Amino acid sequence: MPTARERMTIRGSLGADSFLPWIARHAARLGLTGEVRHADAARVDIDIAGPADLIDAMEMGCLLGPIDVWIETIDRAPVPSG
Amino acid sequence: MTTSSQPMIDQWYPVALASQLPPEGRATQLMGAPIVVLPGEPIRVVAGGGRDLPVTVRYGHVWTSLGEPSKELFDIPEADQPGRRLVEVGVVRVRCSPLRAVENFLDIAHFPFVHTDILGAEPHTEVGKYDVEIREEEDEVWATKVQFYQPQAAKSATGGITTDYMYRVPAPTSSVLYKTCPARPGDWDVITLFVQPLTEELCDVWPWMALFDDETPTTDLIHFQQMIFLQDRSILENQIPRLLPLDPGREIPTRADLTSVAYRRWLKRHLFTYGAQLVAQ
């Protein structure tokens, strides 16, 4: 399965303390590696690496997110390796 | 019932077929509350303590609400289109969350595995890309440009065809499916799923159809749809967790689940949580 490395930019009402641990759990469940590059109440950027289909699944999961968070949009862009 | 149920209390729900009300009425439940649907002119729906509930009769069904609906029941313009046959399928009781019943109706990926050789067949299991949106003006979930190979898409179909689908969710426990009409290419058959939430884990499902089909006997149309829904029931009654998770938790939604994800997001946005699990367990 082809692997990819992408920057996922999540926008919405993201202020709940539950969100970053939730992202870490969901990524781990999918076997993805990730690193939070930016986090505030309106935007979270994560660099995420793994099989492309599972990064798709990460996006689907994040669109729902935990109940106390509302995700408005998710943008994805490739991150150059190196 | 908790105050968090309020947004769903104020919705319309189907509670009976208007044409088949017995003289003594239909005693049933709505969101855990006992109600009686009484025949007459006009039809009445009475809750505990003798309180009359709002009533509207549309699409062959009696609709009511425990609360105060802020708008009229959603419109299905095809219901008034000349030449269509309006088919009242009846009721199927399912031991599942009413939201699970709607979500299952929106899921195409299960067709080859649950409705084998009817609505789907191996090896045609792949769900192609399609569009999903929450339409802001109508405040409805829409999935369009859905295509799927079906061995027998409808009772009137004589062979396998690639069927076009559109799905619409105009209310938390109602969904409208538009699919290729075998008899009239270019037109859509309309198949609906109206769900009456008896409790958070029990529902009555009232399918209803508006078809272009002048030939198939009504009993055959009804038996075909009932067979489909009975196949779904065995799956629905064994789903874990029983409530519909709004946090994916252990579930791993994929791109094929885009309609389900949009439906859950829409429920979450409106706090339509009766029958939902809020925190993953």
Side-chain angles (χ1 to χ4, degrees), chain A residues 22 25-26 29-30 53-54 56-73 76, chain B residues 134 245-255 257-258 260-261 264-266 268-269 273 277-279:
Chain A
W22 186 95
R25 274 199 308 277
H26 204 69
R29 194 172 283 132
L30 290 165
D53 285 353
L54 295 181
D56 277 354
M58 183 71 188
E59 180 188 355
M60 291 297 108
C62 286
L63 277 170
L64 286 170
I67 194 69
D68 46 4
V69 159
W70 174 254
I71 286 84
E72 198 65 48
T73 60
R76 290 165 54 180
Chain B
I134 295 175
L246 297 188
D247 173 334
R250 290 195 189 87
E251 293 186 348
I252 307 289
T254 67
R255 193 156 287 282
D257 304 314
L258 206 51
S260 161
V261 169
R264 294 188 198 197
R265 277 169 59 78
W266 183 76
K268 180 177 168 179
R269 178 194 272 186
T273 57
Q277 181 190 75
L278 304 190
V279 178

Side-chain angles (χ1 to χ4, degrees), chain B:
Chain B
M1 210 179 297
T2 64
T3 52
S4 66
S5 306
Q6 191 63 45
M8 278 186 74
I9 287 176
D10 290 333
Q11 300 290 313
W12 291 105
Y13 298 100
V15 290
L17 274 172
S19 62
Q20 293 182 22
L21 275 175
E24 70 278 15
R26 178 176 193 257
T28 179
Q29 284 188 89
L30 182 58
M31 300 175 79
I35 59 170
V36 183
V37 187
L38 296 167
E41 280 292 336
I43 291 171
R44 292 171 62 214
V45 180
V46 180
R51 179 170 69 105
D52 266 81
L53 302 180
V55 173
T56 190
V57 179
R58 196 80 176 94
Y59 318 128
H61 291 77
V62 180
W63 300 73
T64 191
S65 173
L66 292 174
E68 297 172 3
S70 61
K71 53 184 183 182
E72 292 183 1
L73 182 66
F74 54 86
D75 191 24
I76 304 177
E78 291 80 6
D80 302 318
Q81 197 176 359
R84 286 187 183 267
R85 276 174 75 186
L86 308 181
V87 183
E88 299 167 355
V89 176
V91 64
V92 180
R93 178 155 297 181
V94 189
R95 267 185 297 111
C96 75
S97 153
L99 308 180
R100 282 268 193 211
V102 172
E103 191 205 42
N104 177 76
F105 187 68
L106 301 174
D107 173 29
I108 308 155
H110 80 283
F111 285 176
F113 310 106
V114 178
H115 310 297
T116 309
D117 297 333
I118 305 168
L119 299 186
E122 295 187 77
H124 309 282
T125 57
E126 189 174 348
V127 179
K129 283 198 171 181
Y130 56 91
D131 294 341
V132 179
E133 61 180 329
I134 295 175
R135 294 189 179 172
E136 299 294 338
E137 193 173 329
E138 298 94 339
D139 193 19
E140 297 181 353
V141 181
W142 277 80
T144 56
K145 300 178 186 169
V146 185
Q147 288 200 320
F148 207 71
Y149 174 81
Q150 298 195 318
Q152 190 189 354
K155 188 66 193 171
S156 59
T158 53
I161 54 171
T162 297
T163 306
D164 292 299
Y165 278 80
M166 293 192 294
Y167 286 96
R168 169 186 174 208
V169 181
T173 69
S174 291
S175 182
V176 183
L177 161 65
Y178 301 85
K179 66 186 289 189
T180 305
C181 171
R184 281 176 60 155
D187 273 311
W188 300 93
D189 276 340
V190 174
I191 300 174
T192 70
L193 192 78
F194 302 144
V195 181
Q196 175 185 354
L198 299 167
T199 71
E200 287 197 276
E201 297 188 6
L202 185 69
C203 56
D204 275 349
V205 175
W206 303 89
W208 177 86
M209 302 187 286
L211 311 176
F212 286 114
D213 181 344
D214 296 328
E215 294 176 4
T216 310
T218 300
T219 50
D220 288 2
L221 291 171
I222 291 172
H223 287 157
F224 182 78
Q225 283 305 323
Q226 285 186 338
M227 173 188 68
I228 298 296
F229 286 107
L230 288 172
Q231 289 173 338
D232 283 320
R233 182 166 73 175
S234 62
I235 303 299
L236 280 165
E237 294 194 339
N238 288 294
Q239 282 183 325
I240 304 285
R242 301 189 70 80
L243 300 177
L244 181 73
L246 297 188
D247 173 334
R250 290 195 189 87
E251 293 186 348
I252 307 289
T254 67
R255 193 156 287 282
D257 304 314
L258 206 51
T259 313
S260 161
V261 169
Y263 173 56
R264 294 188 198 197
R265 277 169 59 78
W266 183 76
L267 294 174
K268 180 177 168 179
R269 178 194 272 186
H270 291 289
L271 301 175
F272 291 147
T273 57
Y274 188 82
Q277 181 190 75
L278 304 190
V279 178
Q281 291 169 1

